[in-house]
Amino acid sequence: MASQHRKPRRASGPRVAGIRTPALATAALTSVALFSQSANATPSSDDGTPSLEEVEKKVDDLYRQAESATEKYNAAKEKTTTQRKRVAGLLDDVARRTQNLNEAREELGSFAAAQYRTGAAAPDTATFLLADTPQDYFDQTQLMGRLTERQKGMVDDYVTEQSTTMRKRQEAGESLAALTDTQRELKTAKATVQKKLASARELLSRLTAQEQARLAAIERQRQEEAARKAAELARRQAAAAPATDTTAATGAPSPSPSPTSSPSPGGGTVSTKAEKALAFARAQIGKPYVWGATGPGSYDCSGLTQAAWKAAGVTLPRTTYDQVTFGTTVSLADARPGDLVFFYEGVSHVGIYIGNGMMIHAPKPGTYVREESVYYDGESAIHSVVRPA
């Protein structure tokens, strides 16, 4: 079901995205925010070469734009598939109806020829029955009087089928035009993604070894901070969870666990469907991120979450901005394993929560499906949490 979600807060600090190899990718694209806070900005050189901070900001923008373009590509691709099926169905229907018209015309022609040979009808009758648009003749009372009820029914069916076939042909033409437009959107989105990624790679290729080492060190600090926040979230969730053993406190036996759920690492329960989704997601760890991919060898972020929940028997929409409306929105404090965690104002990224403040996600080009703190890009990057089932 559709749900409402809170308006996100804009990130107060820069977000960094990573590329190329897993180590350099993470370091180069997620680390520079802390560097910006802990060191004075390095001004651009006199020869116009951008500073490290300027490179970081540009790369961040490019990767965010590429991520949004990827979701647009996914939507256009899905729309193209749907429209192609519709066009094929309409064309098949038109072909079938055209065949029916040809058969009906042959039958009416045989009837008219027989009447003409026996003198049962005037020459105009044959002309009427063999005409492309015989409706004009139907208004002639004299001619209608010569037709039997069965013959009138045949003519009526012919005219109805002819009208329906013309309408279906028009629908097929309109659907073909819409398909062409969508294919154009698909091509544009693909070109946009490729252009943004190429620009980001070009910028990062200019970083010196010293700059890369500085970024790697800062990335380790970011990971430590993200892990600390994840552990803090896990403690809050555990404290808020109801006690599993109430015998000591009340003298009453604790309730039996539900057969369709089990305790979660971070408190609450995990549904059987969520457990299946999580098992699938864990099995994909180590597979590469590829934009537009839905498995089985590679995934983008929404392709992974869609495939994981499909393994649990739940069909999610293809894109992040459709998945965010599918299910029930919950707070991060109430997140359970299997829930979807969305990121950024444009809802351009998603991961699947596994408990203890951690998630499994397909981060970005040049990286692999992995477990990571939901705070990997800072608390302000978190948009919302949705429980699909």
Side-chain angles (χ1 to χ4, degrees):
M1 68 177 176
S3 65
Q4 296 180 344
H5 52 270
R6 64 181 176 82
K7 292 293 286 184
R9 293 176 294 169
R10 298 187 65 89
S12 58
R15 171 188 170 242
V16 186
I19 69 144
R20 300 183 72 89
T21 66
L24 174 57
T26 308
L29 299 181
T30 60
S31 310
V32 185
L34 289 181
F35 175 82
S36 300
Q37 297 171 2
S38 60
N40 293 327
T42 303
S44 299
S45 62
D46 294 338
D47 63 0
T49 302
S51 67
L52 189 61
E53 289 78 10
E54 291 170 337
V55 170
E56 176 271 324
K57 186 179 185 305
K58 182 63 175 178
V59 169
D60 178 60
D61 290 342
L62 287 168
Y63 268 81
R64 185 75 61 81
Q65 292 166 18
E67 203 164 28
S68 295
T70 295
E71 293 305 314
K72 291 179 181 179
Y73 170 87
N74 292 339
K77 185 177 181 181
E78 186 175 44
K79 187 177 179 182
T80 297
T81 300
T82 301
Q83 289 177 331
R84 186 177 288 112
K85 290 179 180 178
R86 173 172 170 76
V87 167
L90 285 170
L91 291 177
D92 288 344
D93 190 30
V94 167
R96 179 181 59 79
R97 291 180 182 278
T98 300
Q99 179 63 28
N100 291 342
L101 279 176
N102 291 337
E103 293 174 356
R105 177 171 293 185
E106 290 177 4
E107 187 175 2
L108 289 174
S110 298
F111 160 67
Q115 281 193 321
Y116 183 75
R117 285 195 303 270
T118 60
D124 284 346
T125 305
T127 301
F128 152 69
L129 292 170
L130 294 172
D132 287 336
T133 56
Q135 183 63 51
D136 291 343
Y137 289 89
F138 294 170
D139 296 332
Q140 301 180 28
T141 306
Q142 182 179 7
L143 182 59
M144 290 299 292
R146 297 175 184 174
L147 302 177
T148 65
E149 289 299 321
R150 176 178 175 277
Q151 292 163 353
K152 290 178 181 177
M154 290 171 57
V155 173
D156 288 343
D157 291 344
Y158 176 86
V159 173
T160 299
E161 186 71 14
Q162 185 182 53
S163 176
T164 301
T165 301
M166 292 177 64
R167 178 169 53 82
K168 291 294 183 181
R169 283 174 179 166
Q170 182 178 359
E171 288 181 19
E174 292 172 352
S175 293
L176 278 171
L179 176 59
T180 300
D181 290 341
T182 303
Q183 288 173 328
R184 203 157 31 235
E185 294 174 7
L186 185 65
K187 184 177 180 180
T188 299
K190 182 177 181 178
T192 299
V193 173
Q194 292 174 331
K195 182 178 179 181
K196 301 298 183 183
L197 295 180
S199 298
R201 285 192 292 268
E202 171 63 21
L203 285 172
L204 287 168
S205 68
R206 300 173 185 172
L207 293 179
T208 66
Q210 182 181 12
E211 288 171 330
Q212 293 174 11
R214 290 165 60 197
L215 292 178
I218 296 172
E219 168 58 16
R220 287 191 293 272
Q221 296 177 13
R222 285 179 62 88
Q223 289 177 341
E224 291 172 0
E225 176 63 14
R228 185 190 67 77
K229 284 184 172 292
E232 182 180 309
L233 173 61
R235 285 194 295 271
R236 291 200 305 268
Q237 289 179 326
T244 57
D245 186 0
T246 59
T247 303
T250 65
S254 59
S256 300
S258 168
T260 60
S261 63
S262 60
S264 74
T269 58
V270 186
S271 70
T272 301
K273 289 182 178 180
E275 288 177 341
K276 291 180 179 179
L278 287 171
F280 180 93
R282 286 193 177 97
Q284 312 315 307
I285 291 176
K287 293 183 178 180
Y289 175 103
V290 174
W291 65 272
T294 56
S298 58
Y299 297 90
D300 64 13
C301 66
S302 57
L304 176 64
T305 52
Q306 183 188 50
W309 273 99
K310 182 179 180 180
V314 177
T315 301
L316 295 182
R318 175 63 183 92
T319 65
T320 53
Y321 41 80
D322 285 330
Q323 289 182 9
V324 77
T325 66
F326 189 94
T328 304
T329 300
V330 298
S331 67
L332 180 60
D334 292 330
R336 297 178 183 175
D339 291 351
L340 302 180
V341 185
F342 295 90
F343 297 86
Y344 313 120
E345 184 176 3
V347 198
S348 58
H349 189 68
V350 61
I352 183 167
Y353 192 65
I354 62 175
N356 291 329
M358 302 293 288
M359 67 177 174
I360 296 173
H361 69 149
K364 54 185 69 70
T367 62
Y368 301 87
V369 176
R370 65 193 183 203
E371 291 187 12
E372 195 161 27
S373 168
V374 296
Y375 297 103
Y376 81 108
D377 202 14
E379 185 172 1
S380 61
I382 299 173
H383 176 277
S384 57
V385 181
V386 172
R387 184 164 300 147

